[in-house]
C-alpha cells in the first residue's frame, strides 16, 4: 500500500510543481549551506577510500574498532547519552556517536532536520535544577534559546560544541547492523564498509528503535499496548515548515478577517458541523473567536480553528482528521523574522508511519503538494510574497514501543504517579498527547500526569548490553502518549549514558544497573539534589481500563 503512494513519476511531478516555491528557496538553501561538515575526529565510519575496489574490500578481514560505549542515532537523547557517558567515564573512556546521516547534515534530528522549534518543556517546577536535566539545560543554553523556541543552526552548533568538549568520536554515514550472541551485542557492523564496532554497552537513540528491533527485541505497534485492535492507530505525523515573508502581524490580520466576518463564520460553522458530531464540532468551535496571542517572547499560540477551517472550506477539503488537517498551532518566530509553524497534520496508519521512518522521514509527494496549496492560500489571504519552506525531515510522533525491557512503564502507572521515588531518577509532567486523534480508543484522555520515572523501561532484557532512549522506549498503552515526549527522552538519555559508564567501571551488564545507583552518580556529577514530585492524578476516576 505504501509503495503506491510514492511512484517516481509522482515525485518528479511534485518537485517540478513546487520546486521553485519550496526547494530552491534561498532562505532554506542558506540554512543548509551554513551547516559546516561535522568534525568527525577519528571517524572510522567514513566510506572506505574509493581506490579500494569493493571486490578486494570484501575479501579483507573486517576492521575492528573498540569503544566503551557506542550510541546509535543523533537525536538529542543520544547526544546526551554520549556526552554524559564520556563525562562519567572520564578522559580514559572511549565513546562513539554513530549516525546514518551524512557528515554535512545537521546533528540533532527532530530539533534540527525535523524543524520542530516549539519545545515541549517539563511542567515540573524548577526542573532545570534537577540532576537529570543538566544535559538538556546545557543544550538550551548553548543553543541560545530565549524562551520556548529553538532554531536549527544554533542547535546544530550547540551539539557540535558539546560533543567536541566531551571528546566524543562522531561517525557519520554509518548504518549499523548488530551481531547478537548469547543475549549480548558482540559488535555492530557498519554496512558496506567492512568495519565493526565493539563496545561494552550500546545505546539505541534512533527514533524508531532501529538497532533494538534489528537485535531481535519485540515491539508493539501503535496503541496495541492499550488495545490489541489498535495496531494501526498512532498519532498524526506533522510537517513543520518555515514560513518566509509573512510577519506575525500579517497572520493576526488574516485571522481577524475571518473571525470578525459574521457571514463567513456562519459558513465555517456549518462546514465543521457537516463533518463532525455535535460534541466534536463544539470542541473545534470552543475558542473560535479567541485570537492568537504571544505566549512567550519568541512564540505564539493559535487557539482558534478559524484559519484551519477557512483553509479546508475554501479548498473543499473535509474538516476531519483523516489525511491532511490544518490544526491549531504553536508558532515560533526566528531571529530573522521567519515563522516556524507546527500545525499541519497527516494522519496515517502505523505501517505508513513506519515506512516514513525507514525512508529517513523525508517529506512525501503528498506533503509537498499540500504545502504548495498552503503557500498559494497564504499568498492570497495575506497579499504577501509568502514562501513555505520544507524541513529535510517530517515529525513522526510515534510508531512502535519496545516490549522487551526490564520494567515497562504503563499508562496506569503514570497516572498513579509513576515509579516509587526510591526507585527513580526523577520526575516529569506533561499532557497525554493524542494529536490527530486515536480512533477506537475506549478510555478517556487522562488529566495532566505528574510522575516519577527510572531507567528500567529503557534497558533491554533479551540483549543485556543495550539501552533504548527515544519515543520507542518501553512505555505501554496510553503511556506512549506522554512517554514519547522528547524532553523526557533527553532526561533518560543522560541517565542511561551514565548507567553505561557505571556498568563499564563495575564490569557488569548495562541492564543490571538500577535507578538508585544512577541517581546518586548523577547527583555527584552535577552537585545537585533530586526532588520528586510524582503523585496520583486520577482524581478518583476509574482508570482500571487504562493499560
Amino acid at each position: 500500500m505504501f509503495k503506491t503512494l510514492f511512484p517516481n513519476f509522482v515525485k518528479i511531478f511534485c518537485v517540478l510543481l513546487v520546486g521553485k516555491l519550496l526547494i530552491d528557496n534561498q532562505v532554506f538553501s542558506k540554512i543548509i549551506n551554513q551547516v559546516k561538515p561535522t568534525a568527525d575526529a577519528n571517524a572510522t565510519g567514513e566510506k572506505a577510500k574509493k581506490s579500494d575496489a569493493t571486490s578486494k574490500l570484501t575479501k579483507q578481514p573486517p576492521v575492528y574498532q573498540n569503544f566503551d560505549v557506542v550510541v546509535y542515532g543523533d537525536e538529542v537523547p543520544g547526544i546526551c547519552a554520549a556526552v554524559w557517558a564520556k563525562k562519567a567515564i572520564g578522559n580514559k573512556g572511549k565513546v562513539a556517536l554513530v549516525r546514518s546521516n551524512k557528515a554535512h547534515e545537521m546533528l540533532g534530528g527532530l530539533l534540527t532536520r525535523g524543524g520542530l522549534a516549539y519545545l515541549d518543556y517539563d511542567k515540573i517546577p524548577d526542573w532545570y535544577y534537577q540532576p537529570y536535566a543538566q544535559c538538556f539545560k546545557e543544550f538550551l543554553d548553548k543553543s541560545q534559546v530565549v524562551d520556548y523556541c529553538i532554531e536549527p543552526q544554533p542547535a546544530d552548533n550547540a551539539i557540535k560544541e558539546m560533543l567536541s568538549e566531551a571528546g566524543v568520536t562522531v561517525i557519520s554515514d554509518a548504518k549499523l547492523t548488530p551481531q547478537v550472541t548469547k543475549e549480548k551485542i558482540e559488535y555492530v557492523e557498519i554496512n558496506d564498509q567492512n568495519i565493526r564496532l565493539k563496545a561494552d554497552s550500546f545505546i539505541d537513540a534512533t527514533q524508531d528503535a532501529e538497532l533494538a528491533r534489528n537485535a531481535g527485541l519485540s515491539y508493539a505497534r501503535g496503541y496495541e499496548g492499550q488495545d490489541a485492535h489498535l495496531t494501526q492507530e498512532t498519532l498524526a505525523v506533522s510537517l513543520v515548515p518555515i514560513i518566509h515573508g509573512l510577519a506575525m502581524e500579517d497572520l493576526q490580520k488574516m485571522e481577524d478577517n475571518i473571525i470578525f466576518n459574521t457571514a463567513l463564520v456562519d459558513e465555517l460553522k456549518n462546514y465543521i458541523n457537516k463533518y463532525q458530531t455535535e460534541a466534536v464540532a463544539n470542541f473545534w468551535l470552543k475558542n473560535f473567536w479567541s485570537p492568537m496571542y504571544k505566549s512567550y517572547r519568541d512564540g505564539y499560540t493559535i487557539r482558534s480553528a478559524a484559519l484551519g477551517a477557512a483553509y479546508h472550506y475554501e479548498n473543499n477539503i473535509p474538516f476531519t482528521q483523516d489525511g491532511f488537517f490544518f490544526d491549531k498551532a504553536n508558532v515560533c518566530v526566528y531571529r530573522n523574522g521567519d515563522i516556524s509553524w507546527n500545525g499541519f497534520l497527516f494522519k496515517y496508519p502505523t505501517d505508513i508511519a513506519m515506512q516514513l521512518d525507514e525512508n529517513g522521514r523525508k517529506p512525501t509527494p503528498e506533503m509537498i503538494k499540500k504545502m504548495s496549496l498552503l503557500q498559494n492560500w497564504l499568498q492570497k489571504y495575506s497579499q504577501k510574497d509568502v514562501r513555505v519552506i520544507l524541513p529535510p525531515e517530517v515529525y513522526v510522533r510515534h510508531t512502535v514501543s519496545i516490549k522487551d525491557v526490564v520494567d515497562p512503564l504503563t499508562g496506569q502507572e503514570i497516572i498513579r504517579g509513576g515509579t516509587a521515588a526510591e526507585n527513580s531518577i526523577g520526575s516529569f509532567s506533561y499532557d497525554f498527547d493524542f494529536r490527530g486523534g486515536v480512533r477506537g480508543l475506549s478510555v478517556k484522555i487522562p488529566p495532566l500526569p505528574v510522575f516519577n520515572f527510572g531507567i528500567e523501561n529503557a534497558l533491554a532484557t533479551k540483549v543485556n548490553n543495550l539501552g533504548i532512549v527515544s519515543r520507542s522506549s518501553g512505555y505501554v498503552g496510553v503511556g506512549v502518549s506522554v512517554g514519547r515526549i522528547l524532553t523526557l527522552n533527553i532526561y533518560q538519555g543522560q541517565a542511561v549514558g551514565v548507567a553505561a559508564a557505571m556498568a563499564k567501571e563495575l564490569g557488569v551488564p548495562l541492564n543490571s544497573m538500577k535507578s538508585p545507583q544512577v541517581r546518586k552518580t548523577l547527583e555527584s556529577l552535577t552537585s545537585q539534589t533530586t526532588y520528586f514530585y510524582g503523585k496520583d492524578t486520577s482524581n478518583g476516576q476509574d482508570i482500571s481500563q487504562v493499560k
Side-chain angles (χ1 to χ4, degrees):
M1 176 181 176
F2 176 81
K3 291 182 179 178
T4 64
L5 297 175
F6 301 94
N8 289 333
F9 76 89
V10 176
K11 288 187 178 180
I12 294 170
F13 171 76
C14 290
V15 169
L16 290 175
L17 175 67
V18 298
K20 179 174 176 57
L21 303 180
L22 303 175
I23 305 303
D24 292 338
N25 185 276
Q26 292 181 356
V27 176
F28 187 68
S29 298
K30 183 178 179 182
I31 293 173
I32 292 297
N33 291 335
Q34 285 176 344
V35 182
K36 297 178 181 178
T38 307
D40 286 6
N42 301 318
T44 57
E46 293 299 327
K47 292 292 186 181
K49 293 181 179 180
K50 300 297 182 181
S51 58
D52 288 52
T54 303
S55 59
K56 292 183 180 179
L57 185 63
T58 55
K59 294 179 182 179
Q60 295 174 349
V63 176
Y64 285 88
Q65 295 289 329
N66 295 305
F67 294 93
D68 299 307
V69 180
V70 167
V71 179
Y72 185 42
D74 71 348
E75 300 292 330
V76 179
I79 304 298
C80 285
V83 168
W84 279 76
K86 188 65 169 67
K87 284 179 182 286
I89 295 176
N91 292 334
K92 67 181 184 299
K94 295 182 65 179
V95 177
L97 179 86
V98 185
R99 64 182 190 143
S100 59
N101 302 84
K102 304 291 185 182
H104 70 268
E105 294 183 85
M106 291 186 188
L107 289 149
L110 179 57
L111 296 185
T112 54
R113 301 188 300 275
L116 183 64
Y118 204 98
L119 297 166
D120 294 331
Y121 281 142
D122 187 353
K123 296 186 178 182
I124 294 288
D126 299 334
W127 60 265
Y128 39 84
Y129 291 126
Q130 297 275 30
Y132 52 83
Q134 294 313 296
C135 186
F136 188 37
K137 182 176 181 296
E138 179 187 10
F139 169 65
L140 297 176
D141 290 343
K142 288 183 181 295
S143 300
Q144 304 170 15
V145 172
V146 176
D147 278 339
Y148 259 70
C149 296
I150 193 165
E151 297 189 31
Q153 191 60 59
D156 176 60
N157 293 340
I159 290 170
K160 289 174 180 175
E161 184 179 347
M162 291 170 67
L163 293 169
S164 176
E165 289 177 351
V168 174
T169 298
V170 178
I171 303 174
S172 295
D173 195 16
K175 196 171 181 66
L176 300 183
T177 298
Q179 177 62 44
V180 179
T181 305
K182 296 181 179 179
E183 298 189 342
K184 176 184 178 182
I185 295 179
E186 289 292 335
Y187 61 83
V188 290
E189 185 157 18
I190 300 179
N191 294 3
D192 304 322
Q193 296 188 38
N194 203 36
I195 296 172
R196 295 175 178 178
L197 307 179
K198 302 193 73 173
D200 295 278
S201 293
F202 295 85
I203 299 174
D204 185 350
T206 60
Q207 290 193 38
D208 58 342
E210 176 189 326
L211 190 67
R213 290 186 293 119
N214 287 338
L217 298 188
S218 62
Y219 55 91
R221 296 169 182 257
Y223 277 79
E224 73 168 296
Q226 174 61 38
D227 185 326
H229 297 97
L230 300 181
T231 58
Q232 291 303 312
E233 279 298 316
T234 191
L235 304 176
V237 173
S238 281
L239 188 61
V240 188
I242 294 173
I243 312 298
H244 177 68
L246 186 71
M248 286 306 303
E249 293 78 9
D250 302 321
L251 191 57
Q252 289 170 318
K253 184 178 179 180
M254 288 173 57
E255 185 182 63
D256 288 346
N257 289 340
I258 296 170
I259 63 179
F260 294 115
N261 183 331
T262 304
L264 177 59
V265 168
D266 287 341
E267 291 180 24
L268 296 181
K269 289 170 63 177
N270 291 334
Y271 198 69
I272 292 172
N273 279 292
K274 175 181 177 182
Y275 291 101
Q276 301 289 353
T277 64
E278 182 179 357
V280 175
N282 288 338
F283 168 80
W284 290 112
L285 294 170
K286 181 179 180 182
N287 293 311
F288 202 85
W289 292 268
S290 300
M292 67 182 71
Y293 68 100
K294 190 172 184 178
S295 44
Y296 302 98
R297 287 178 292 174
D298 51 4
Y300 289 74
T301 299
I302 300 177
R303 49 187 170 174
S304 170
L307 285 168
Y311 177 85
H312 280 260
Y313 174 68
E314 293 195 12
N315 289 281
N316 198 29
I317 300 172
F319 192 84
T320 70
Q321 291 184 293
D322 295 320
F324 173 76
F325 186 69
F326 189 141
D327 201 0
K328 302 174 184 180
N330 296 320
V331 174
C332 285
V333 181
Y334 287 167
R335 291 173 179 84
N336 67 356
D338 286 346
I339 294 171
S340 171
W341 193 334
N342 181 9
F344 307 108
L345 308 183
F346 294 84
K347 183 67 173 176
Y348 295 129
T350 304
D351 284 350
I352 302 298
M354 291 179 69
Q355 288 285 353
L356 283 171
D357 273 333
E358 292 171 10
N359 194 44
R361 289 171 286 279
K362 304 304 180 187
T364 67
E366 176 197 11
M367 294 174 179
I368 295 172
K369 183 177 180 180
K370 293 296 186 186
M371 292 299 101
S372 178
L373 292 173
L374 173 68
Q375 178 173 278
N376 293 338
W377 186 79
L378 291 173
Q379 289 174 343
K380 174 185 173 183
Y381 253 84
S382 69
Q383 295 298 300
K384 301 285 185 178
D385 185 21
V386 179
R387 291 290 182 265
V388 175
I389 307 164
L390 303 188
E393 297 179 9
V394 300
Y395 174 17
V396 180
R397 287 180 170 81
H398 179 257
T399 51
V400 301
S401 301
I402 296 298
K403 295 197 290 187
D404 297 326
V405 294
V406 172
D407 188 10
L409 190 55
T410 70
Q412 186 171 128
E413 287 175 317
I414 287 172
I415 297 170
R416 297 289 189 197
T419 54
E422 62 270 19
N423 297 324
S424 305
I425 59 168
S427 302
F428 183 69
S429 179
Y430 196 83
D431 299 278
F432 283 90
D433 176 25
F434 294 95
R435 194 90 185 255
V438 180
R439 287 166 298 212
L441 192 65
S442 58
V443 297
K444 293 182 179 180
I445 298 177
L448 175 70
V450 183
F451 63 98
N452 302 328
F453 65 92
I455 61 170
E456 283 73 11
N457 74 303
L459 302 180
T461 50
K462 296 181 179 179
V463 181
N464 63 32
N465 62 340
L466 176 62
I468 307 101
V469 290
S470 69
R471 57 174 159 88
S472 301
S473 298
Y475 293 93
V476 178
V478 298
V480 305
S481 290
V482 65
R484 66 153 206 95
I485 299 298
L486 186 63
T487 301
L488 176 58
N489 304 154
I490 294 171
Y491 290 172
Q492 286 191 306
Q494 179 183 341
V496 172
V498 170
M502 295 174 66
K504 164 68 179 178
E505 293 297 312
L506 295 171
V508 298
L510 175 58
N511 68 1
S512 70
M513 299 303 302
K514 304 298 181 184
S515 291
Q517 299 170 277
V518 177
R519 183 180 71 242
K520 290 178 181 178
T521 300
L522 282 168
E523 291 178 338
S524 176
L525 289 170
T526 62
S527 300
Q528 301 280 1
T529 302
T530 308
Y531 294 95
F532 294 102
Y533 296 87
K535 61 180 181 179
D536 190 329
T537 56
S538 62
N539 299 324
Q541 296 180 18
D542 181 9
I543 60 170
S544 60
Q545 299 304 308
V546 177
K547 300 293 178 64

